[in-house]
Amino acid sequence: MLEKLKSILLACLILSSMFLTYRLWFGKPPLEKGSSPYYEYAYFTPAPLLSAIVQPSEIIFSEGEEIYLFYRGEKQYVDLWEKGLQLIEDRLKVEMATHTSKESIAELLKTAPATLVYNFNPPVPLEYLVTGSANWYVNSIEKIIFIWEREQLDVFLEGEDLLCITVPDVEYSPEDFLPAIKKPYMRLPSFLALDFGNQDAGAEPDNTEEAFAADEIEGEETSGEAIEELPEELGFLTEVEINVASDIYLPLEDIYAAEVTLQKEELQQEKLVRAFFLDLSMARRIEERDGALYFTNGEKGLRIYPSGLLEYTAPHQERRQSDISYSAALQKGAESHALYGGWMPDIYLSEAEEVGGGYRFIWRAFLDGFILEGGDIGIEMLINEQGVSFYRRMCYVFGEELAGRKPFCSYKEAVAQALLLKKERLTKNKVTLLSLKPVYYFLQGENIEKAVPAWHIHFAETGVIYLRWDTLEPLI
Amino acid sequence: MDLSRAKTVLICTFLILNIFLLYQILLNERGGNTGLFGRKEEMSRLEAALQEAGLSLEVPLPKGGVRLAYMIVEPWHFQLQDIVVPLLEALPGEKKVLEEFNNNGFYPSSSENSLSVYHIGEYQLLVAKEGRITLKRLGWGKSVNSFSIEESEQAARQIINKVSFLNNLIYDYSQKYTNETAINFRQEYEGLPLYAGYLQILMRGVTPAALYFYRLEPVGLAEQIREIIPPSTALLRFTETYREKNEKAGIIEFSLGFYSQEYDAERWEIPPVWRIRLDNGEIYYINAFTGILEQ
């Protein structure tokens, strides 16, 4: 019996010594055993197609002296861009492109019966529109011009270089392209004199190149209602010469608009934090005194303000700079945008700027062709090879119109009012008009947030001023 | 030799062997080591990294394998008067200033968005929006005799023992400068060092020249408890950051506690950190969950 016990004890001791030797050699298993955690990016919306990342800032169709414009957020714009894109994808053979000069296209534009221009501001990488083009041309495109000749269609791709591709046997006519409803536009002359006493002088639309070059404006009826009698306080305007710095197009017909309610974009907080930090437990939560919530892992931070403004900073990404191409930055930015809150249907890329080794992108919302401006509205992103170093997002969803639509006051009245309001900043009799456009202006009331139609008027001397569309009161 | 005797000898041998093995295992675990095999590799990697970063480790690494959670804290709410009066009372020979203060009231001499500045006799009081308090003595009439660090420490301890809201602070470390000695105290919560809450008294000899004070109100530990990174991993991460400085230094302290920067917030979570103190006076905090250097 004793011998049996001894045998069992010996066996136990041998086994335990083997186990202890193993433990001493390899150590104890980790406290949390298992495979390394697997994280999956939770995208709010799918990343967009390459062709949807940069869309035209405006589409201009000219036929003789008629000009029709289509802006982002308009149904006609969407249709026209889809058709244009289809044509580019189906029929454009980049390998057949030839280099051409800007002078030759200017000649063609004068004689062409119909032209369709897609303006890209910011520019679009050609490879986003035409598959395989990266092997041929790497330039970004600022303008795509379709010029219809009898049996063929000439397509010009304008960037740093100007490329021409001829599409033979084209079955697309300008009529096939144009939407049924279209608004005629005029281009402002290069000098705008606000002579209210004489309707025929100074402020008429000018759609012809000849007239544009001569700066002699005659004959045509203006769309804006000229002020019959010049009020005393506007007397100084008779001596002010307005230089129009860039192409400014305005509708010939009255523009109707109404105030529109805005609803804050609601993003699921947990999903949002996960998008930035992957592992929720790695982000610690800080409740700030102003009501904002701040999440950080010590290296990067995400602040969600009570107003809905979202701000993400990763300073270490900014420090580690390495060059990234425009095309790669756009693609990476679009994917990050899909992850950090997602793409909204009315949001378009409206600015792109090279900063250090990376890029700064700004997206803005559009409704019926009008951009939504004012406040912190929009999305801003700084991106480089390492990733996103800064992201700010404040988005609203357009709601219902608050009242019936009313026409915009004429652009002349708006320009006069803007100059009157900024009179003290005018040191000379010359001012330079940089931009003039109807927009929506974000206004935050006590209980309601709304988009107010407004004239956006930008003089080089005074900066941007927003005036209510119906009363021309300044909006602040 | 009969079989029975052989068994007895073997039992004794294995018993001794097992006791020895057990002792070695316990010794290793107490030292935070995980195993002979991994340790050797890790230690040589660590030594190489330290050398490359120009660092020397002058203290043993503490043990790892600890599970912790975020510490939830709130700002310490105070009335300025309740801070200043006990402090002035505790400072040696400031009765006159205290009288002046009590008679003239308490108004900021300047105020910006994040900082209010008060003048009380020879003292300047700065109160930051986040709650950080700085009390500085502006005028110094005569030069100060030289005192040892111990004497300065003793004088500083005497001051904090007189002030009720300071006397639960724990002595941390002292640092000698040319004319002054910085005596550092820190907060503690349930035995865990809270480096984010501190008092630094800058002593000129045995006279305080300045006080820097920031206190937090710990609410508790968060629910989710997780294993922290081992000290060797934290040290490796630190060497990666320190390498860029290209300066030589010795690590004189490597300890575990809680730290975050100061926030103007209602409530926040503070991560556990490995604190690395260098002989040149610099202090670094490595997040013990993520290994990221806390800025």
Side-chain angles (χ1 to χ4, degrees):
Chain A
M1 182 63 188
L2 185 68
E3 286 308 307
K4 216 173 179 181
L5 269 173
K6 271 186 177 177
S7 300
I8 293 167
L9 183 63
L10 184 60
C12 287
L13 282 168
I14 292 169
L15 287 173
S16 59
S17 74
M18 285 167 74
F19 170 74
L20 289 171
T21 310
Y22 173 84
R23 275 290 300 272
L24 185 64
W25 193 257
F26 294 104
K28 65 171 179 178
L31 284 171
E32 282 178 16
K33 209 181 167 186
S35 56
S36 24
Y38 172 71
Y39 299 114
E40 198 176 344
Y41 284 116
Y43 284 86
F44 278 83
T45 57
L49 294 171
L50 286 180
S51 57
I53 295 174
V54 189
Q55 297 187 32
S57 45
E58 60 191 4
I59 305 173
I60 306 170
F61 179 78
S62 320
E63 195 168 32
E65 290 186 5
E66 300 293 317
I67 298 176
Y68 303 97
L69 263 87
F70 305 91
Y71 286 107
R72 292 163 167 183
E74 289 177 322
K75 193 185 169 299
Q76 294 89 337
Y77 165 95
V78 176
D79 292 344
L80 208 46
W81 173 228
E82 276 175 8
K83 282 180 186 170
L85 191 63
Q86 195 67 48
L87 192 148
I88 292 165
E89 285 173 351
D90 290 352
R91 303 295 305 271
L92 236 55
K93 303 266 183 285
V94 182
E95 57 272 25
M96 291 171 70
T98 53
H99 283 272
T100 186
S101 68
K102 292 198 178 175
E103 290 76 32
S104 65
I105 195 173
E107 283 301 311
L108 259 175
L109 283 169
K110 278 183 193 169
T111 54
T115 60
L116 183 64
V117 180
Y118 292 86
N119 274 332
F120 289 89
N121 182 20
V124 58
L126 183 57
E127 72 221 56
Y128 283 17
L129 306 177
V130 188
T131 324
S133 59
N135 300 332
W136 296 83
Y137 302 101
V138 290
N139 287 343
S140 292
I141 301 299
E142 289 162 11
K143 216 176 245 191
I144 300 177
I145 306 164
F146 294 130
I147 298 180
W148 273 270
E149 294 289 343
R150 278 169 205 143
E151 293 292 309
Q152 67 179 40
L153 173 68
D154 290 329
V155 182
F156 293 87
L157 306 172
E158 190 180 325
E160 276 177 39
D161 296 323
L162 183 61
L163 302 173
C164 177
I165 304 166
T166 300
V167 182
D169 307 322
V170 69
E171 62 266 35
Y172 305 95
S173 69
E175 290 73 32
D176 292 338
F177 259 77
L178 277 195
I181 303 165
K182 49 188 188 286
K183 283 187 274 183
Y185 275 67
M186 61 171 182
R187 191 171 69 189
L188 285 191
S190 52
F191 290 104
L192 198 64
L194 291 179
D195 183 357
F196 294 105
N198 178 7
Q199 279 193 43
D200 293 335
E204 285 72 19
D206 179 12
N207 292 344
T208 64
E209 288 295 318
E210 292 77 14
F212 180 73
D215 288 331
E216 288 292 331
I217 303 102
E218 284 182 48
E220 291 176 45
E221 200 72 54
T222 67
S223 69
E225 310 89 51
I227 300 166
E228 293 298 328
E229 284 182 30
L230 189 64
E232 201 176 318
E233 71 267 19
L234 295 178
F236 77 100
L237 289 176
T238 54
E239 289 166 16
V240 175
E241 193 178 287
I242 302 164
N243 194 359
V244 180
S246 57
D247 285 354
I248 295 178
Y249 293 94
L250 291 170
L252 279 166
E253 296 162 1
D254 282 346
I255 318 164
Y256 281 86
E259 291 183 344
V260 179
T261 57
L262 292 172
Q263 282 178 330
K264 257 182 217 166
E265 174 193 40
E266 282 182 14
L267 295 171
Q268 206 191 324
Q269 197 183 87
E270 193 177 307
K271 193 175 175 184
L272 196 60
V273 179
R274 204 185 290 276
F276 285 98
F277 294 97
L278 275 175
D279 184 350
L280 259 185
S281 62
M282 290 296 177
R284 48 186 197 267
R285 179 188 162 107
I286 296 155
E287 294 162 26
E288 298 195 330
R289 287 187 210 216
D290 59 2
L293 275 180
Y294 183 60
F295 296 89
T296 179
N297 64 356
E299 201 171 37
K300 51 193 182 182
L302 170 71
R303 182 172 278 113
I304 304 168
Y305 290 90
S307 63
L309 173 69
L310 182 155
E311 205 173 75
Y312 166 79
T313 47
H316 72 288
Q317 305 270 49
E318 235 168 303
R319 286 196 290 270
R320 286 188 241 156
Q321 282 192 355
S322 52
D323 285 349
I324 183 170
S325 71
Y326 176 62
S327 166
L330 271 174
Q331 196 175 347
K332 212 169 170 178
E335 278 168 20
S336 305
H337 189 26
L339 180 65
Y340 300 159
W343 284 75
M344 291 173 73
D346 304 319
I347 294 276
Y348 292 84
L349 179 71
S350 56
E351 281 177 50
E353 181 192 0
E354 197 173 352
V355 186
Y359 283 88
R360 176 173 168 263
F361 297 125
I362 292 179
W363 286 267
R364 290 194 186 279
F366 287 75
L367 177 67
D368 292 338
F370 301 161
I371 190 170
L372 178 62
E373 294 184 348
D376 286 324
I377 285 282
I379 299 165
E380 183 181 351
M381 179 190 284
L382 279 174
I383 193 164
N384 59 30
E385 188 64 51
Q386 313 300 324
V388 176
S389 62
F390 177 79
Y391 187 73
R392 191 178 54 76
R393 181 182 180 114
M394 176 84 160
C395 289
Y396 281 86
V397 179
F398 289 105
E400 292 171 351
E401 291 184 357
L402 281 167
R405 292 186 168 208
K406 285 191 275 184
F408 267 70
C409 290
S410 79
Y411 75 91
K412 284 206 278 183
E413 285 177 289
V415 168
Q417 174 73 348
L419 287 171
L420 183 65
L421 288 165
K422 299 282 181 181
K423 193 178 168 184
E424 72 286 354
R425 292 224 204 152
L426 305 177
T427 50
K428 292 177 192 166
N429 285 342
K430 274 187 182 175
V431 286
T432 309
L433 183 64
L434 297 177
S435 65
L436 169 67
K437 57 187 174 184
V439 298
Y440 275 115
Y441 186 82
F442 171 71
L443 212 59
Q444 201 158 20
E446 277 184 20
N447 301 315
I448 192 165
E449 279 138 344
K450 58 186 178 180
V452 179
W455 278 111
H456 159 120
I457 305 161
H458 188 186
F459 284 109
E461 293 76 10
T462 64
V464 180
I465 185 166
Y466 294 94
L467 302 174
R468 269 187 79 95
W469 88 116
D470 53 350
T471 61
L472 295 183
E473 283 169 30
L475 291 165
I476 301 162
Chain B
M1 190 190 286
D2 64 13
L3 190 63
S4 175
R5 262 184 99 177
K7 276 181 189 172
T8 311
V9 171
L10 277 171
I11 285 169
C12 292
T13 314
F14 275 102
L15 205 61
I16 293 164
L17 176 68
N18 282 2
I19 289 166
F20 172 75
L21 288 172
L22 256 174
Y23 172 74
Q24 280 297 323
I25 288 169
L26 287 174
L27 208 66
N28 278 352
E29 284 189 0
R30 199 168 289 179
N33 300 323
T34 50
L36 286 174
F37 203 64
R39 194 182 69 193
K40 270 186 188 166
E41 217 174 55
E42 197 172 292
M43 285 313 285
S44 60
R45 199 151 65 98
L46 194 57
E47 275 166 21
L50 282 167
Q51 204 172 7
E52 203 184 327
L55 291 164
S56 59
L57 188 60
E58 292 164 19
V59 284
L61 286 182
K63 70 167 186 172
V66 182
R67 292 170 69 92
L68 284 170
Y70 284 127
M71 185 186 284
I72 301 167
V73 297
E74 286 179 355
W76 184 59
H77 295 288
F78 57 87
Q79 291 292 319
L80 209 45
Q81 191 143 340
D82 300 340
I83 300 270
V84 177
V85 174
L87 273 177
L88 289 176
E89 277 175 346
L91 295 176
E94 302 304 343
K95 293 276 182 290
K96 203 177 140 194
V97 177
L98 186 60
E99 264 174 44
E100 188 188 322
F101 164 70
N102 284 332
N103 293 335
N104 295 339
F106 200 58
Y107 302 103
S109 53
S110 69
S111 187
E112 285 170 26
N113 280 343
S114 57
L115 194 72
S116 299
V117 184
Y118 303 83
H119 281 93
I120 312 153
E122 287 180 317
Y123 285 94
Q124 186 189 46
L125 177 73
L126 298 103
V127 182
K129 201 176 167 191
E130 316 84 68
R132 189 179 62 253
I133 293 168
T134 306
L135 188 67
K136 278 184 185 168
R137 186 178 170 141
L138 298 174
W140 285 93
K142 52 188 178 185
S143 61
V144 185
N145 296 329
S146 70
F147 286 87
S148 67
I149 290 189
E150 288 73 25
E151 284 170 310
S152 299
E153 272 177 25
Q154 186 62 31
R157 280 175 202 272
Q158 279 173 4
I159 292 167
I160 75 157
N161 284 337
K162 287 181 194 167
V163 185
S164 58
F165 61 84
L166 295 181
N167 59 19
N168 57 354
L169 294 174
I170 309 293
Y171 172 75
D172 197 356
Y173 66 96
S174 298
Q175 175 104 26
K176 181 90 179 148
Y177 299 110
T178 318
N179 293 324
E180 289 152 343
T181 306
I183 320 290
N184 294 280
F185 299 85
R186 60 169 164 74
Q187 263 187 270
E188 208 168 74
Y189 176 71
E190 293 184 355
L192 301 163
L194 175 56
Y195 303 124
Y198 60 86
L199 166 74
Q200 185 185 65
I201 308 183
L202 214 54
M203 300 292 285
R204 279 203 178 181
V206 290
T207 313
L211 274 99
Y212 303 91
F213 177 54
Y214 182 66
R215 187 173 165 164
L216 291 165
E217 209 61 73
V219 176
L221 293 174
E223 279 177 16
Q224 197 182 4
I225 298 170
R226 284 181 298 145
E227 190 180 3
I228 61 166
I229 57 169
S232 51
T233 310
L235 196 53
L236 272 173
R237 294 297 296 269
F238 172 64
T239 56
E240 286 163 17
T241 314
Y242 196 80
R243 203 163 39 203
E244 293 163 15
K245 283 194 82 173
N246 211 11
E247 277 176 27
K248 287 197 170 180
I251 297 171
I252 54 169
E253 188 206 307
F254 197 101
S255 56
L256 183 65
F258 286 83
Y259 172 81
S260 81
Q261 64 179 89
E262 292 150 22
Y263 295 107
D264 180 27
E266 291 289 350
R267 178 182 273 231
W268 64 100
E269 291 171 329
I270 292 187
V273 291
W274 288 108
R275 180 169 86 165
I276 300 166
R277 192 153 65 83
L278 306 181
D279 56 5
N280 59 13
E282 290 175 1
I283 296 182
Y284 295 87
Y285 300 92
I286 302 290
N287 188 313
F289 284 150
T290 61
I292 293 167
L293 179 75
E294 285 288 319
Q295 310 274 358

